[in-house]
Amino acid sequence: MVRYNERLHLPADEVIKAIDQRTRWIALANPNNPTGTLLPEGDLQTILRAAPRALVLVDEAYFDFSGETILPWIRNYRNLVVSRTFSKAFGLAGLRIGFLFANAELASLMRRVHAVFAVNAVAMAGAVEAIRHEDYIRRYARAVRKNRALLCKWLDSMSISYAPSAANFVLVRLGRQAAEVARRLRQENNILVRDWDYDPHLKGYLRVTIGTAGQMRHLIQALGRVQHLIETHGGSRAWRDLLAYSPTEYFA
Ligand SMILES: Cc1ncc(COP(=O)(O)O)c(C=O)c1O
């Protein structure tokens, strides 16, 4: 397994170094969860070329919110599989259904080995119906992108650090009191965020899911009320704290 580094970036050179004769498949989430970040196309190409004998699965679960896809590449890379899900923009996680895209040869090989009853008839009917309402999904995804920009603009104005997100959430760095901020949001404002502070690699981070404009305003107001608990990269004290806290100065 290759970890994202402290800059919340997947080091493509380490992925390539890790590839050897025994490598059967490589899974890449694009956009990634929980960072929301996209891999540079150049890195994806390098990895695909470095592992011609391995299956490279590029998971585009958050495609509707990123608008970026490498789906057409299945024509050029025989080892590429692209996956999508109905669990995110379509809101149908309970149906347990998604897509796999690959060239015809790879698709037929996969068809030979996949479980016969992997998807049930109700899920299939639901998915087909959902696709008929693609306009609705597009409108919803557009609203999420707009509200994501709204939140990021506010975070910028407050000098609060976050990872540049192409998904329907933003990983925000609140610093040492992140867990306390999460608790106050939950108990005092009825707002649930995903607390990543427990993870040694994401100490100080909360992942905020993007909601409606009204929900984002509610969140912004609630964050404003606990501003004194948030470490920013603006003021000099906060700046010192950030450098002490993050030896890599990623968000400097
Ligand atoms: C990157 C990524 N891919 C896939 C999934 C889940 O998809 P599914 O519900 O189809 O298993 C998630 C859910 O959190 C995710 O973050």
Side-chain angles (χ1 to χ4, degrees):
M1 186 173 79
V2 177
R3 279 203 162 278
Y4 274 59
N5 62 22
E6 325 75 49
R7 293 169 180 262
L8 304 183
H9 179 80
L10 181 71
D13 49 342
E14 281 188 31
V15 175
I16 287 159
K17 249 190 275 163
I19 296 169
D20 64 23
Q21 299 278 24
R22 291 165 306 156
T23 307
R24 289 281 166 266
W25 69 296
I26 301 166
L28 303 164
N30 200 42
N32 182 45
N33 181 10
T35 60
T37 48
L38 278 166
L39 299 168
E41 282 198 356
D43 286 0
L44 285 167
Q45 271 166 355
T46 315
I47 294 167
L48 279 159
R49 288 189 189 130
R53 294 176 55 78
L55 196 119
V56 180
L57 173 79
V58 176
D59 174 41
E60 295 187 348
Y62 298 98
F63 157 75
D64 300 278
F65 309 110
S66 75
E68 305 261 335
T69 181
I70 60 160
L71 196 48
W73 295 13
I74 60 171
R75 295 202 186 91
N76 308 332
Y77 293 98
R78 294 179 59 238
N79 55 339
L80 172 63
V81 179
V82 176
S83 61
R84 299 266 180 90
T85 178
F86 282 92
S87 297
K88 306 298 175 187
F90 285 87
L92 296 173
L95 288 189
R96 312 308 307 139
I97 186 165
F99 295 103
L100 286 182
F101 299 91
N103 67 69
E105 190 192 342
L106 200 50
S108 87
L109 282 173
M110 286 191 295
R111 210 170 283 128
R112 269 194 237 162
V113 292
H114 83 73
V116 188
F117 303 117
V119 179
N120 69 66
V122 175
M124 267 196 241
V128 168
E129 191 56 30
I131 291 172
R132 293 210 178 101
H133 298 274
E134 216 180 341
D135 277 359
Y136 172 82
I137 303 300
R138 284 222 189 95
R139 272 201 307 280
Y140 164 62
R142 212 177 306 130
V144 166
R145 287 203 291 267
K146 193 166 150 220
N147 298 337
R148 183 178 71 200
L150 223 141
L151 174 67
C152 292
K153 199 166 152 206
W154 181 78
L155 292 168
D156 284 337
S157 76
M158 300 298 287
S159 299
I160 299 172
S161 306
Y162 58 91
S165 174
N168 62 338
F169 52 76
V170 180
L171 188 67
V172 186
R173 186 191 170 282
L174 297 181
R176 264 169 285 219
Q177 304 269 22
E180 173 63 6
V181 173
R183 190 190 67 76
R184 301 265 293 255
L185 289 176
R186 187 177 66 247
Q187 290 182 354
E188 294 168 12
N189 306 277
N190 227 2
I191 297 173
L192 279 179
V193 295
R194 180 76 156 81
D195 180 1
W196 278 96
D197 190 60
Y198 73 90
D199 184 313
H201 300 279
L202 286 174
K203 277 205 82 54
Y205 285 91
L206 302 181
R207 196 196 67 181
V208 177
T209 300
I210 303 300
T212 62
Q215 286 168 334
M216 291 296 98
R217 272 197 299 276
H218 181 46
L219 170 76
I220 285 169
Q221 280 161 6
L223 282 174
R225 285 194 286 274
V226 290
Q227 206 178 318
H228 58 287
L229 298 174
I230 298 174
E231 287 171 39
T232 64
H233 58 256
S236 58
R237 193 193 69 82
W239 180 245
R240 263 202 322 275
D241 283 348
L242 175 67
L243 294 188
Y245 187 77
S246 158
T248 55
E249 305 167 24
Y250 169 54
F251 290 114

